[in-house]
């Protein structure tokens, strides 16, 4: 066992002990909307919440307490979190609420610390999370209309809510739990369907499970246009808007749907999201402070989105349309950094809150220490195409036309499409996706020789060379599903035919790849080249695995500590430490350059393993003096230059991606 996140010392324990006095031990509480006095009432008393968003799915459980305590110490009396359906039901009918997915433990922790909870239960959540939290297996019915009263969609929503809602019921405020309000759907008024029957269906389902007392609400953009299709009688309508605008005017929009009742901004933006290839978003703390002060002065309720952004580990990032995937970091320029550290913005927000209520006594928790473990040499293992037998756990599928990820029942990561060239391509011959059907990125090889990269919306044709009968390998990367708008029906893989010199390619051999399982099993490590081989077997520019090992140094107290992983000379890929999928790196496109590595995945007793899947170019070629290494550094770089410097970086506001 490693040290608890209580490495911050005894203050924490004191705080925890003290905070339990804040909770009335046995009297069951009431939480209601007072329409006559335009406010909430908690246990009969006028109540206003000052809340912040933290997604338990983006912070390792190991750090939940640390982040929540920091939020409590900022003066918040509530937190808001989403429930990502696809995080809990990755396979239809198989539910996971263990470990980092243990929602009930998270809710208990909030209660112990003295933070109320505003729960956004979905089924759709947006959240810059793969497919807005909807499981990709819903797309097994190709024509399904998500977020509507399509009976096939509702059937699965019903089954899921039958599992989720009974779990959260004991945590409602009325039942002595922390949950004061539950959000139904999310920004539904921004979706094309405008299906009131769907919202009515959800309302009934939520009431059936949670009872009549709990406050159910909706959230939409602060404009009549959004509230029109997003609000429904019986669901309290709230709005979301960022800083810098006219605060009273934004709340007037809420009055369009709710003439009486408390004013609520459910998403007050403390920062903004990033996309690969676009400039890192930063919003000045002064702008946040000013608008927050105005909101609080109006006695309105507010949730700061995000207060702690965290990380989209593994494959969980989403994308916006036209296709712009989001990076691994969800730092959001929030008051607490991705690694949970108080920023200048944190202190400025805390100061503003202090003008409107008494702040909790005691010191603000310090940043968690970081450690630069330095350069770690890595060794090349094998190319992906040569490793198919350890990566693919079920035999390949033969198909005349290409199959999508969903058709292969693989939902995340990478798949391999194999074919043979039906003709001589001695001159460069165009391999094309005329219908823009490479979702989302394809690494193309002929007989193991790199040919080029195809990318959704960007590169639909490359020239390849090879002989009749040569092996054509296409490694297909799912870079994250669209999480907003009609594009959430986002199929992955080769979703349309490929042509070679204008002829449709047929008779594919398709391999489902479970790289995570192969990494965890340790079988990948066995692919290590014999030491007698001096040069790489394969060209350094084809997708391949690299392995590094390192020990946590002895004699330094309080290790392991958090760190950041940097990829000097590397291009794009995925990385695991001790089998934990840290996410995607892509310094060649930016703006994110380093990946956050939480301390709890590092081992002090065993040798630590880093597995790198580099998709393009590793600095491990035959060049003299090439440093084939990754590097642990002690501070993050999220604002590196991007490969799209010509991108017109207008202030990226909500409306601009709410197309
Ligand atoms: C803000 O909006 C309110 C209500 O629409 C209006 O009365 C006020 O003049 C506006 N303030 C500014 C500075 O524009
Ligand atoms: C393809 O090229 C090879 C070698 O250049 C040649 O032997 C073969 O006949 C060609 N095949 C066709 C179908 O043109
Ligand atoms: C493919 O090769 C042809 C002929 O050399 C050339 O005209 C064309 O621009 C090339 N296309 C790409 C995408 O490189
Ligand atoms: C691929 O081409 C075949 C033959 O034209 C066609 O029947 C099929 O629908 C195409 N598949 C896709 C996904 O476009
Ligand atoms: C594809 O496979 C079928 C049989 O499975 C065969 O009849 C057909 O000729 C093959 N097509 C090509 C282009 O090889
Ligand atoms: C790898 O392949 C690329 C493209 O074919 C080529 O430009 C490069 O020289 C090759 N590198 C090595 C080390 O063979
Ligand atoms: C790293 O991999 C080696 C070999 O597979 C294994 O023995 C060791 O336990 C791994 N280390 C950790 C921390 O999982
Ligand atoms: C990136 O952020 C750091 C830390 O806030 C800052 O010092 C640096 O100037 C920024 N770099 C760019 C290119 O904006």
């Amino acid at each position: 066992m490693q040290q608890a996140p209580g490495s911050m010392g005894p203050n924490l324990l004191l705080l925890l002990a003290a905070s339990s006095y804040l909770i009335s031990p046995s009297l069951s509480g009431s939480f209601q909307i007072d329409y006559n006095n335009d406010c909430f009432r908690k246990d009969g008393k006028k109540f206003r919440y000052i809340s912040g968003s933290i997604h338990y799915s983006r912070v390792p459980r190991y750090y939940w307490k640390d982040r929540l305590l920091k939020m409590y110490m900022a003066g918040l009396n509530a937190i808001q979190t989403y429930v990502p359906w696809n995080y809990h039901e990755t396979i239809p009918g198989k539910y996971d609420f263990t470990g980092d997915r243990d929602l009930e433990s998270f809710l208990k922790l909030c209660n112990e610390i003295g933070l109320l909870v505003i729960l956004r239960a979905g089924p759709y959540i947006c959240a810059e999370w793969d497919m807005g939290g909807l499981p990709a297996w819903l797309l097994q019915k190709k024509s399904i209309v998500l977020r509507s009263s399509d009976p096939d969609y509702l059937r699965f929503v019903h089954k899921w809510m039958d599992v989720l809602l009974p779990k959260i019921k004991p945590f409602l405020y009325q039942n002595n739990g922390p949950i004061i309000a539950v959000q139904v759907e999310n920004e539904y008024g921004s979706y094309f369907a405008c299906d009131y029957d769907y919202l009515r269906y959800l309302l009934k389902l939520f009431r059936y499970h949670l009872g009549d007392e709990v406050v159910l609400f909706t959230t939409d953009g602060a404009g009549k246009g959004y509230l029109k299709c997003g609000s429904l009688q019986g669901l309290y309508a709230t709005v979301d808007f960022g800083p810098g605008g006219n605060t009273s005017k934004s709340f007037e929009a809420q009055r369009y749907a709710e003439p009486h009742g408390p004013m609520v901004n459910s998403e007050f933006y403390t920062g903004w999201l990033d996309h690969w290839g676009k400039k890192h978003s930063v919003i000045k703390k002064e702008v946040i402070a000013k608008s927050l002060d105005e909101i609080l002065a109006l006695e309105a309720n507010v949730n700061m989105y995000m207060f702690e952004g965290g990380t989209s580990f593994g494959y969980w990032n989403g994308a916006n349309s036209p296709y712009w995937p989001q990076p691994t970091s969800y730092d959001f320029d929030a008051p607490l950094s991705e690694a949970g550290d108080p920023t200048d913005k944190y202190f400025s927000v805390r100061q503003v809150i202090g003008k409107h209520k008494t702040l909790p006594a005691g010191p603000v928790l310090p940043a968690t220490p970081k450690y630069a473990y330095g350069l770690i040499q890595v060794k090349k293992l094998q190319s992906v195409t040569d490793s198919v037998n350890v990566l693919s756990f079920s035999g390949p599928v033969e198909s005349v036309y290409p199959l999508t990820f969903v058709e292969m029942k693989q939902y995340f990561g990478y798949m391999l499409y194999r074919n043979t060239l039906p003709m001589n391509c001695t001159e460069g011959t165009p391999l094309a996706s005329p219908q823009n059907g490479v979702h989302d990125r394809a690494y193309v090889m002929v007989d193991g020789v790199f040919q080029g990269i195809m990318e959704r919306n960007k590169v639909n044709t490359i020239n390849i060379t090879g002989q009749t009968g040569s092996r054509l390998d296409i490694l297909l990367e799912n870079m994250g599903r669209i999480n907003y708008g009609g594009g959430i029906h986002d199929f992955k893989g080769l979703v349309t035919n490929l042509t070679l010199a204008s002829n449709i390619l047929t008779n594919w051999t398709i391999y489902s790849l479970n790289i995570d399982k192969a990494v965890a099993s340790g079988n990948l490590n066995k692919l290590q080249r014999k030491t007698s081989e001096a040069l790489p077997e394969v060209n350094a520019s084809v997708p391949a695995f690299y392995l590094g090992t390192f020990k946590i140094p002895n004699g330094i107290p309080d290790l392991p500590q958090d760190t950041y992983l940097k990829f000097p000379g590397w291009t794009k890929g995925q990385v695991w430490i001790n089998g934990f999928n840290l996410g995607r790196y892509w310094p060649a496109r930016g703006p994110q350059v380093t990946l956050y590595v939480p301390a709890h995945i590092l081992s002090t007793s065993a040798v630590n393993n880093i597995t790198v899947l580099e998709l393009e170019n590793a600095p491990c070629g035959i060049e003299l003096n090439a440093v084939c290494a990754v590097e642990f550094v002690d501070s993050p770089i999220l604002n590196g230059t991007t490969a799209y410097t010509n991108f017109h970086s207008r202030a990226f506001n909500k409306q601009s991606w709410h197309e």
Side-chain angles (χ1 to χ4, degrees):
M1 284 302 290
Q2 314 198 358
Q3 80 222 60
S7 54
M8 294 131 245
N11 283 338
L12 260 192
L13 295 173
L14 271 176
L15 221 154
L16 260 184
S19 68
S20 59
Y21 293 107
L22 300 171
I23 308 155
S24 52
S26 63
L27 293 174
S28 85
S30 74
F31 190 85
Q32 290 152 333
I33 293 171
D34 179 344
Y35 287 96
N36 295 324
N37 297 291
D38 294 342
C39 65
F40 287 117
R41 284 203 180 267
K42 183 167 145 296
D43 304 325
K45 289 195 208 83
K46 192 169 174 180
F47 176 82
R48 178 261 287 282
Y49 69 70
I50 303 175
S51 163
S53 280
I54 172 172
H55 300 154
Y56 62 90
S57 55
R58 284 188 161 119
V59 175
R61 176 187 186 140
Y62 177 79
Y63 276 129
W64 285 349
K65 189 187 283 181
D66 172 65
R67 310 303 191 249
L68 291 171
L69 281 167
K70 285 167 178 164
M71 293 172 83
Y72 178 82
M73 289 308 294
L76 305 186
N77 54 14
I79 63 104
Q80 191 202 61
T81 193
Y82 276 129
V83 180
W85 177 6
N86 58 2
Y87 190 61
H88 294 286
E89 192 180 359
T90 48
I91 299 166
K94 290 234 168 88
Y95 304 98
D96 188 353
F97 286 93
T98 63
D100 287 344
R101 292 170 168 80
D102 190 344
L103 172 61
E104 287 152 295
S105 291
F106 180 79
L107 294 171
K108 266 182 213 148
L109 202 52
C110 294
N111 210 15
E112 280 164 27
I113 289 170
L115 286 164
L116 298 165
V117 173
I118 298 145
L119 194 76
R120 313 176 93 181
Y124 166 84
I125 60 168
C126 191
E128 287 74 63
W129 188 262
D130 187 81
M131 214 169 139
L134 297 176
W137 47 257
L138 288 170
L139 298 172
Q140 267 164 16
K141 180 193 169 194
K142 226 172 178 173
S143 61
I144 197 165
V145 184
L146 302 167
R147 305 178 68 195
S148 79
S149 27
D150 180 332
D152 291 302
Y153 171 68
L154 292 186
R155 193 157 47 86
F156 287 114
V157 168
H158 198 288
K159 273 177 84 173
W160 163 237
M161 289 300 168
D162 279 355
V163 173
L164 175 66
L165 297 179
K167 269 189 198 299
I168 67 172
K169 189 174 183 189
F171 293 93
L172 297 180
Y173 192 73
Q174 294 84 331
N175 302 327
N176 295 315
I179 301 174
I180 50 172
V182 177
Q183 184 181 310
V184 177
E185 249 282 347
N186 186 48
E187 294 185 338
Y188 191 61
S190 305
Y191 192 58
F192 68 86
C194 198
D195 181 344
Y196 295 112
D197 286 341
Y198 168 50
L199 286 185
R200 267 190 282 271
Y201 179 91
L202 291 179
L203 169 58
K204 226 173 127 183
L205 190 58
F206 276 55
R207 283 279 170 233
Y208 170 79
H209 283 294
L210 302 179
D212 291 333
E213 251 185 89
V214 63
V215 171
L216 296 180
F217 71 103
T218 57
T219 298
D220 279 285
K224 286 182 192 178
Y226 297 120
L227 286 156
K228 188 171 166 289
C229 293
S231 55
L232 186 80
Q233 180 133 41
L235 294 170
Y236 190 70
T238 74
V239 291
D240 51 23
F241 58 89
N246 182 331
T247 303
S248 332
K249 203 169 165 200
S250 299
F251 281 123
E252 270 175 22
Q254 189 193 353
R255 288 285 174 241
Y256 162 78
E258 296 292 354
H260 301 286
M263 286 185 286
V264 181
N265 182 352
S266 291
E267 287 189 0
F268 171 67
Y269 304 110
T270 59
W272 198 243
L273 53 133
D274 280 347
H275 298 97
W276 289 118
K278 294 189 180 187
K279 220 178 140 210
H280 176 55
S281 305
V282 176
I283 299 188
K284 286 207 171 87
K285 63 178 195 293
E286 293 77 12
V287 181
I288 308 295
K290 179 171 179 289
S291 292
L292 179 63
D293 195 28
E294 286 166 12
I295 291 172
L296 296 182
L298 288 172
E299 293 192 45
N301 298 268
V302 65
N303 172 66
M304 284 168 260
Y305 188 100
M306 299 296 295
F307 203 90
E308 155 69 61
T311 312
S312 303
F313 292 111
Y315 309 112
W316 289 115
N317 68 278
N320 276 308
S321 50
Y323 195 71
W324 282 98
Q326 295 128 11
T328 303
S329 172
Y330 198 62
D331 179 88
F332 217 81
D333 196 30
L336 289 171
S337 74
E338 177 178 15
D341 296 333
T343 63
D344 290 349
K345 195 178 277 179
Y346 174 93
F347 292 101
S348 133
V349 162
R350 186 172 185 269
Q351 194 181 23
V352 172
I353 295 173
K355 282 173 67 178
H356 299 273
K357 63 171 276 199
T358 311
L359 293 171
V364 168
L365 301 170
T368 48
K370 308 291 183 297
Y371 194 81
Y373 300 97
L375 278 176
I376 310 296
Q377 299 281 336
V378 302
K379 276 187 270 181
K380 184 168 211 153
L381 302 177
Q382 269 190 14
S383 71
V384 172
T385 52
D386 290 342
S387 317
V388 173
N389 51 344
V390 293
L391 301 176
S392 190
F393 292 83
S394 52
V397 172
E398 311 280 339
S399 172
V400 178
Y401 302 112
L403 301 174
T404 64
F405 272 53
V406 164
E407 284 166 330
M408 291 287 289
K409 292 195 163 59
Q410 178 182 335
Y411 301 104
F412 294 98
Y414 305 82
M415 253 172 39
L416 183 70
Y417 292 77
R418 183 165 277 180
N419 214 323
T420 50
L421 294 186
M423 58 188 278
N424 273 342
C425 305
T426 33
E427 305 293 314
T429 306
L431 175 73
S433 177
Q435 293 157 280
N436 193 22
V438 171
H439 289 191
D440 306 297
R441 217 156 187 267
Y443 308 87
V444 181
M445 285 131 308
V446 172
D447 286 338
V449 177
F450 172 77
Q451 303 291 318
I453 295 167
M454 303 169 83
E455 187 176 337
R456 183 174 180 179
N457 291 359
K458 291 193 168 67
V459 181
N460 280 319
T461 306
I462 60 168
N463 283 334
I464 65 170
T465 56
Q467 307 270 307
T468 306
S470 293
R471 195 180 77 194
L472 170 68
D473 278 316
I474 302 179
L475 183 68
L476 228 298
E477 179 186 7
N478 164 359
M479 291 204 291
R481 290 185 185 80
I482 291 173
N483 53 259
Y484 182 85
I488 55 173
H489 300 76
D490 193 2
F491 292 87
K492 295 301 187 185
L494 290 179
V495 305
T496 60
N497 290 309
L498 289 192
T499 59
L500 183 63
S502 306
N503 303 311
I504 291 176
L505 282 169
T506 56
N507 293 4
W508 293 89
T509 303
I510 308 167
Y511 292 87
S512 193
L513 305 181
N514 193 339
I515 299 177
D516 293 82
K517 188 173 164 187
V519 170
S521 72
N523 286 341
L524 260 186
N525 300 8
K526 295 179 191 141
L527 300 178
Q528 208 156 331
R529 282 179 305 118
K530 291 164 205 81
T531 44
S532 59
E533 294 168 274
L535 299 179
E537 289 165 356
V538 292
N539 190 312
S541 62
V542 302
F545 292 101
Y546 301 79
L547 176 69
T549 56
F550 68 102
K551 279 188 178 160
I552 301 294
N554 277 325
I556 299 170
D558 297 333
L559 290 188
Q561 293 174 355
D562 285 6
T563 183
Y564 300 91
L565 191 52
K566 199 176 172 185
F567 299 84
W570 299 74
T571 311
K572 181 191 198 307
Q574 194 96 29
V575 64
W576 293 258
I577 293 186
N578 297 328
F580 182 92
N581 191 335
L582 278 179
R584 305 169 212 271
Y585 65 89
W586 201 355
R589 189 162 286 186
Q592 182 175 5
V593 172
T594 58
L595 293 191
Y596 170 57
V597 182
H600 77 290
I601 67 169
L602 303 176
S603 171
T604 44
S605 51
V607 168
N608 293 282
N609 303 303
I610 306 183
T611 313
V612 183
L613 165 59
E614 168 60 49
L615 298 160
E616 298 186 25
N617 260 296
C620 307
I622 52 173
E623 297 83 11
L624 221 56
N625 302 325
V627 181
C628 189
V630 293
E631 185 178 13
F632 287 111
V633 296
D634 59 12
S635 55
I637 304 172
L638 299 176
N639 61 352
T641 50
T642 70
Y644 289 90
T645 40
N646 58 349
F647 173 72
H648 177 57
S649 65
R650 66 205 140 93
F652 202 66
N653 64 33
K654 186 134 193 164
Q655 273 63 38
S656 73
W657 58 280
H658 278 208
E659 344 124 80

